[in-house]
Amino acid sequence: MPRKSMALAAAVALSSVLFTAGQATAASSAQRADRPPFPYADCVKEVKKQHKATDRRAREVCDMLVKKGWIKPPKS
């Protein structure tokens, strides 16, 4: 009888670990959209909107952020 109860307890523990790991994976993939690197076009748009910058200044700021790894390089 003790073997059955230990096996049952192990099965419950393993299923809860797998269920929790599955939830963490789903949550981490959902958060990736909010983390860097962000798209270059979004960067230019936000710099112009928040700082009322010219097109040239917005591109300069975004180019600096590309070098730091916060923004994806623009597509050619």
Side-chain angles (χ1 to χ4, degrees), residues 38-48 58 61-63 65 71:
F38 302 106
Y40 191 84
D42 290 348
C43 174
V44 172
K45 184 175 73 173
E46 285 299 314
V47 170
K48 287 168 60 174
V61 169
C62 291
D63 288 342
L65 293 173
I71 304 295

Side-chain angles (χ1 to χ4, degrees), residues 1-54:
M1 201 58 138
R3 285 185 179 178
K4 287 183 181 179
S5 62
M6 288 190 332
L8 180 61
V12 169
L14 180 61
S15 66
S16 66
V17 167
L18 293 175
F19 180 71
T20 305
Q23 286 180 334
T25 303
S28 67
S29 64
Q31 292 174 349
R32 290 178 192 240
D34 297 337
R35 296 190 324 205
F38 302 106
Y40 191 84
D42 290 348
C43 174
V44 172
K45 184 175 73 173
E46 285 299 314
V47 170
K48 287 168 60 174
K49 177 179 154 186
Q50 291 181 10
H51 301 285
K52 297 179 179 37
T54 63

